[in-house]
Amino acid sequence: MNPVEELLRDLNPQQREAVLAEERAVLVFAGAGSGKTRVLTYRIAYLVLSGRARPGEILAVTFTNKAAGEMKGRVERLLGGLKEGLWIGTFHGICNRILRAYGDRIGLPRDFVIYDEDDQLKVIEGIIRSMGLDREAFPPSRVLKEIERAKNRGIGPESYEANPFDLFQRRTAQVYPLYQEVLRQSKALDYGDLLLYCHKLLELKEIKEIFHRRIRHILVDEYQDTNFIQYLLLKDLMGPETSIMVVGDDDQSIYAWRGAEPSNIFQFQKDFPRVRIIKLEQNYRSTKTILRGANAVVSHNRLRTPKTLWTENPEGKPITLYGAEDEREEALWVARSILNSGRPFGHFAVFYRITAQSRALEEAMMRLGIPYTVIGGLKFFERKEVKDLLAYLRLIFNPLDEVSLRRVINVPPRGIGPKALERLEAFCKERGLPLWEGLKELSEKGLFRNHKGVKAFLELVEDLRSKRDLLRPWEILEELLKRTSFLEYLQGLPQGQERIENVEELLSAMREREEGLEEVISDLSLMSEVDQLREGEKVVLMTLHSAKGLEFPVVFIVGLEEGLLPHYLRLNDRSELEEERRLFYVGMTRAKEELYLSYVRRRGLFGRSFERMPSRFLSELPEEVLKRDGRYQFYRPKGWAWADRDF
């Protein structure tokens, strides 16, 4: 049996059809648990093994580093090693790579740093303060969201048009160019810039032709989650001889609130009228009972491509529907069910609609001694000591990074407090100097109280910068820790030992990396929360939005009440209400073996207690798939159903 035949025998007929498709444009509707990653990886392996493409002619795009890593691992196993030149990565990771190589054509430095949300907010806070605006009327987080929304639509500061009757948008139109100027001076890009500048770069004919010659096959995962700028990037990369396969599921489109445009799936069919459409409907994850419930719920959406998931898996247990008196009883029921199950804790995930719901669950887990982890809590790379050290590394890589400089200029303390920093900033503004250059000039004049400390700081950064190509990133970090006495500094802080352990964990993680400082900084900047989720013997608590792409043997979905799921802000628009229903469907289809749903009669949220009504989505579940439990039960009168409003 030749390698191609051996490869294809692992596939069902629909998966095989997708892998072998010869058409230039292929749209694969891949239902939850239907093996979409298998289709993508086998497609890559098939293209290489059959000689239809060299590895360097294939570009595969995913949405998380975790998904990209999984895809690389599977391709490596199928091909007996990861072939050189094969591109597998996220949109942001691929754009970062392209801009590092060719960004100078549009005036970008090669050694730019990438600002995360915390860095972005610091920049916007500074601009709002300098403009004398009221933070209450113009919250930095809201201004940032508006700028991100514009970038997702491919709109730069020069094209941003504010509604003349909307004061907030008018002020954002003033902040946006100032924000971009601060980033430019700091040689920094934010996540949106990676996509926006890459699109701008690919509009250059000579750059576009480089990629049109190189890339013959594009594969895109989770296509329903792409936004407009990502859609434009794919069009930029599509040459006249390029084929494209997009894999997605409109039933799992849950990110419109952050810019995703599920209409891209339907636009794809307009862009390629001769597109081949393939549906993957056989589910390999869940039981028949779970799928019957999930299919029944999502079938109430009108704005979808009809499809029905089926499985050869066992019938499985009924879906448990629990009615509790309040959130404390609900949380204890979840915790006791886990404790009494006899299963390892790592088999369980608990999903909820908003992060505030985790409090009662965490209290119940602690009360019963159940180990748990919260996705949406303080992430490892957001802990102060970790961010401080990463800021040092970014400063060593790029001394013009003013956000990083401000963060570490007095960490550990070296006599540059807020007043000294204000004087430094005023001096730099007056002379038109970057902060780093002003710091050097004032240090040479001996104008700091702790002149020796400031001089040592400057020498440390300059010295390690000169060694950045000679030392591995972890060696730079190790020398940094010694020369700043950073661990001794942490020892004197509250939770000092815990902070030191976090630093040791960072060192350990960096020792595993083979790349240079530039690659390590970029990778850590682009890492998402789910990328940091490790398999372990802990119960996972997370929002439904974070659960996308994951699976667990046992799933609890709590808080199934009107106003929570569906959320009260999304009840007045059909498309938003349908997205809430898809969110519930996504949560249900994460479960492999058992699914538990719950609601309460009264819930305390944000310091107040409210009477609750069970979610309309529960009325869409067939009674035969349910097993009811709990002292508060809600039954539908015969013939009764929630009626979605006529919009």
Side-chain angles (χ1 to χ4, degrees):
M1 186 181 295
N2 67 45
V4 172
E5 289 175 348
E6 191 173 340
L7 184 79
L8 297 176
R9 71 179 182 175
D10 294 335
L11 306 173
N12 70 32
Q14 290 71 37
Q15 291 172 337
R16 184 185 177 109
E17 182 186 355
V19 167
L20 294 176
E22 297 286 346
E23 288 79 4
R24 183 174 178 233
V26 182
L27 170 57
V28 180
F29 283 101
S34 64
K36 69 179 176 63
T37 306
R38 167 170 285 207
V39 165
L40 289 165
T41 52
Y42 276 60
R43 170 79 170 176
I44 293 169
Y46 167 73
L47 291 171
V48 173
L49 292 174
S50 66
R52 282 165 169 75
R54 294 190 297 272
E57 296 173 330
I58 301 170
L59 170 65
V61 189
T62 68
F63 268 81
T64 66
N65 290 304
K66 184 176 183 180
E70 182 183 349
M71 193 178 289
K72 285 177 185 174
R74 291 200 195 186
V75 171
E76 190 171 358
R77 289 191 292 274
L78 292 172
L79 295 177
L82 194 60
K83 301 302 181 183
E84 190 175 347
L86 178 64
W87 270 26
I88 300 177
T90 63
F91 274 100
H92 292 95
I94 287 163
C95 288
N96 174 54
R97 189 169 162 184
I98 291 172
L99 291 173
R100 300 275 181 201
Y102 301 101
D104 58 332
R105 311 289 179 91
I106 55 171
L108 293 180
R110 263 197 85 252
D111 58 347
F112 63 80
V113 293
I114 302 168
Y115 278 3
D116 64 15
E117 185 178 358
D118 188 46
D119 302 323
Q120 294 170 269
L121 285 171
K122 283 192 171 94
V123 172
I124 289 174
E125 283 167 3
I127 293 168
I128 287 174
R129 191 166 53 246
S130 70
M131 291 174 66
L133 298 177
D134 180 3
R135 278 180 55 113
E136 296 294 320
F138 303 99
S141 58
R142 189 178 164 204
V143 174
L144 176 58
K145 280 182 181 171
E146 179 64 17
I147 291 173
E148 287 175 339
R149 187 196 66 80
K151 290 183 179 182
N152 285 340
R153 296 289 303 161
I155 300 169
E158 68 288 342
S159 308
Y160 181 84
E161 293 184 4
N163 180 340
F165 301 104
D166 188 322
L167 179 60
F168 180 80
Q169 285 193 8
R170 296 208 312 271
R171 290 289 182 257
T172 301
Q174 294 173 308
V175 171
Y176 193 177
L178 297 173
Y179 169 76
Q180 291 301 119
E181 178 59 21
V182 172
L183 263 59
R184 188 192 66 78
Q185 290 176 2
S186 300
K187 290 170 54 174
L189 273 62
D190 64 20
Y191 298 142
D193 287 334
L194 290 172
L195 307 185
L196 200 59
Y197 283 124
C198 195
H199 170 56
K200 183 178 179 181
L201 175 66
L202 289 168
E203 288 184 318
L204 299 179
K205 186 180 178 185
E206 67 271 22
I207 302 298
K208 187 174 285 191
E209 286 176 351
I210 289 171
F211 288 96
H212 286 182
R213 285 194 300 270
R214 173 177 175 174
I215 299 171
R216 290 183 53 203
H217 299 275
I218 298 174
L219 298 91
V220 188
D221 191 13
E222 304 285 11
Y223 191 67
Q224 77 283 347
D225 292 334
T226 54
N227 59 33
F228 185 67
I229 190 67
Q230 290 162 341
Y231 164 78
L232 291 179
L233 281 165
L234 292 171
K235 289 192 76 172
D236 292 335
L237 292 167
M238 279 286 293
E241 304 299 321
T242 310
S243 75
I244 184 167
M245 171 184 283
V246 301
V247 178
D249 182 9
D250 50 341
D251 286 338
Q252 296 186 73
S253 176
I254 59 172
Y255 298 123
W257 53 277
R258 70 180 190 197
E261 302 206 14
S263 60
N264 284 349
I265 283 186
F266 305 106
Q267 183 61 43
F268 187 84
Q269 297 172 64
K270 293 179 182 176
D271 291 341
F272 301 98
R274 300 177 67 181
V275 61
R276 183 169 183 179
I277 297 175
I278 300 166
K279 293 182 183 180
L280 305 182
E281 296 174 295
Q282 183 176 359
N283 175 284
Y284 292 91
R285 178 186 297 150
S286 304
T287 64
K288 288 184 174 70
T289 299
I290 291 170
L291 287 187
R292 272 202 298 274
N295 283 331
V297 169
V298 81
S299 67
H300 283 75
N301 276 355
R302 300 180 194 173
L303 308 173
R304 65 185 291 262
T305 300
K307 66 190 84 68
T308 302
L309 296 185
W310 61 277
T311 186
E312 293 178 348
N313 288 342
E315 193 71 25
K317 294 182 177 180
I319 299 168
T320 296
L321 178 58
Y322 188 90
E325 177 63 25
D326 56 30
E327 73 274 12
R328 287 176 292 280
E329 183 186 317
E330 177 186 53
L332 280 171
W333 165 72
V334 171
R336 286 175 179 143
S337 299
I338 291 170
L339 203 58
N340 296 333
S341 69
R343 286 178 175 267
F345 293 126
H347 281 201
F348 296 90
V350 187
F351 303 152
Y352 37 82
R353 179 62 177 84
I354 60 173
T355 55
Q357 290 174 260
S358 76
R359 179 193 55 79
L361 292 162
E362 290 188 65
E363 288 176 2
M365 298 293 165
M366 288 188 285
R367 181 172 167 184
L368 297 187
I370 297 173
Y372 68 92
T373 184
V374 182
I375 304 301
L378 189 60
K379 295 173 274 187
F380 178 78
F381 290 102
E382 287 185 353
R383 291 167 186 167
K384 182 183 183 303
E385 58 278 8
V386 174
K387 289 210 73 168
D388 287 344
L389 290 172
L390 292 178
Y392 263 111
L393 293 179
R394 293 193 336 190
L395 190 64
I396 290 163
F397 180 66
N398 170 20
L400 295 182
D401 178 358
E402 297 198 350
V403 169
S404 293
L405 176 56
R406 283 188 178 91
R407 183 175 189 100
V408 300
I409 196 168
N410 203 39
V411 177
R414 52 178 62 91
I416 308 180
K419 288 185 179 178
L421 185 56
E422 280 178 22
R423 288 197 298 272
L424 171 62
E425 288 173 336
F427 174 79
C428 292
K429 189 173 182 180
E430 183 183 325
R431 301 290 183 90
L433 291 173
L435 214 56
W436 178 255
E437 296 301 325
L439 182 65
K440 288 200 293 186
E441 193 170 318
L442 288 181
S443 175
E444 287 166 6
K445 295 177 179 179
L447 297 180
F448 289 105
R449 186 181 64 189
N450 183 5
H451 172 64
K452 286 184 179 178
V454 174
K455 186 180 178 186
F457 170 68
L458 289 165
E459 288 173 351
L460 169 71
V461 174
E462 295 285 10
D463 183 39
L464 292 180
R465 181 167 169 76
S466 70
K467 296 176 180 176
R468 65 179 185 161
D469 295 326
L470 303 174
L471 299 177
R472 286 172 289 185
W474 70 266
E475 292 173 316
I476 293 174
L477 181 58
E478 207 167 55
E479 190 166 341
L480 177 66
L481 292 172
K482 288 177 186 173
R483 290 173 61 173
T484 58
S485 301
F486 198 83
L487 296 182
E488 291 80 354
Y489 155 68
L490 292 181
Q491 191 70 62
L493 298 179
Q495 295 89 44
Q497 187 55 40
E498 183 182 332
R499 293 173 189 272
I500 289 170
E501 287 167 3
N502 289 334
V503 171
E504 288 169 347
E505 176 64 22
L506 177 64
L507 252 179
S508 175
M510 293 186 73
R511 283 196 180 99
E512 297 170 4
R513 308 293 294 263
E514 297 293 330
E515 306 94 332
L517 186 60
E518 176 183 317
E519 291 81 5
V520 168
I521 289 172
S522 293
D523 285 354
L524 293 178
S525 298
L526 294 172
M527 189 170 286
S528 73
E529 192 168 15
V530 172
D531 295 329
Q532 298 168 41
L533 177 59
R534 296 183 178 181
E535 301 286 332
E537 289 310 308
K538 291 183 179 180
V539 176
V540 176
L541 309 182
M542 66 200 314
T543 65
L544 282 158
H545 283 103
S546 299
K548 180 78 180 299
L550 303 177
E551 60 179 37
F552 301 89
V554 185
V555 166
F556 289 80
I557 305 177
V558 301
L560 281 158
E561 300 132 32
E562 286 293 303
L564 265 182
L565 188 64
H567 194 274
Y568 71 93
L569 291 176
R570 302 176 72 83
L571 295 175
N572 296 319
D573 180 280
R574 171 169 291 283
S575 64
E576 291 184 350
L577 182 59
E578 293 205 353
E579 181 161 317
E580 292 290 292
R581 186 179 280 110
R582 290 194 295 269
L583 188 58
F584 181 36
Y585 170 81
V586 164
M588 293 179 73
T589 54
R590 301 310 94 197
K592 296 167 72 175
E593 298 167 24
E594 297 178 32
L595 177 61
Y596 296 81
L597 312 175
S598 65
Y599 58 92
V600 303
R601 191 177 71 83
R602 291 191 65 83
R603 182 175 298 277
L605 272 177
F606 313 119
R608 297 175 61 192
S609 181
F610 300 90
E611 289 278 350
R612 313 298 296 178
M613 187 168 188
S615 169
R616 68 188 69 195
F617 301 150
L618 295 177
S619 72
E620 297 165 0
L621 288 164
E623 196 63 42
E624 61 269 19
V625 305
L626 296 177
K627 172 192 168 188
R628 293 179 176 271
D629 195 4
R631 56 178 169 161
Y632 172 50
Q633 288 298 325
F634 172 79
Y635 289 90
R636 292 174 291 174
K638 193 167 183 180
W640 178 91
W642 272 100
D644 286 351
R645 301 183 190 187
D646 293 325
F647 293 100

